[in-house]
Amino acid sequence: MSKKMIGTGLLIAAAFMLIMVGCSKTTTVVMDSGTAVTTTVQFTKDIVPILAKNCAVTGCHNGSVKPNLTSALAYNSLVSGGYTNTGNPPQSEVYLWLTGKKSATMPLGAPNNPSNINQLMLAWIKQGAKNN
């Protein structure tokens, strides 16, 4: 091989290495999906059925993984456990998990945002996270 080909190959390899080193992920942007909820959201009527179907299932939030989202314990687990932030609802831990802004999008292995749960949960928190 000629010195010119070796030099060109090394130059290309060095340029590739510089490009790859310069690439890094610093932020994940997740678009909120779903239709904004403008009606009153009731925890027992609107939120609990969705949690029971999608979250409080075997191996998930049925007591084996916090928070416990079984129908009887969901409200206390979310509110007392610090998963809701009525002062800044979009920064609520539960909302961040549902939208994928905090690690994996919940519920794991299920369609993203089942039954518009992201917007329902956000509306419920904005409305004061009441046990209604």
Side-chain angles (χ1 to χ4, degrees):
M1 276 199 186
S2 74
K3 289 183 180 181
K4 193 173 190 179
M5 285 181 70
I6 293 173
T8 303
L10 289 174
L11 185 61
I12 291 171
F16 180 74
M17 296 285 251
L18 284 174
I19 291 170
M20 293 308 293
V21 171
C23 294
S24 65
K25 177 181 171 186
T26 57
T27 306
T28 299
V29 177
V30 178
M31 301 302 291
D32 292 330
S33 59
T35 304
V37 176
T38 56
T39 59
T40 300
V41 178
Q42 294 183 338
F43 188 73
T44 54
K45 180 181 157 242
D46 300 312
I47 303 293
V48 169
I50 297 170
L51 295 177
K53 181 180 178 186
N54 297 285
C55 309
V57 295
T58 303
C60 290
H61 299 285
N62 66 342
S64 57
V65 177
K66 290 186 178 185
N68 186 329
L69 299 178
T70 56
S71 297
L73 299 173
Y75 180 79
N76 285 333
S77 293
L78 288 172
V79 175
S80 300
Y83 292 95
T84 59
N85 179 349
T86 55
N88 189 356
Q91 289 302 308
S92 294
E93 182 109 357
V94 67
Y95 183 70
L96 295 174
W97 281 103
L98 286 170
T99 57
K101 294 176 184 172
K102 184 165 185 145
S103 195
T105 304
M106 294 291 152
L108 285 175
N112 188 20
N113 199 21
S115 305
N116 200 28
I117 190 174
N118 298 359
Q119 296 304 322
L120 280 169
M121 186 67 73
L122 182 61
W124 173 70
I125 298 167
K126 284 180 177 180
Q127 294 168 15
K130 298 175 186 169
N131 191 5
N132 54 0

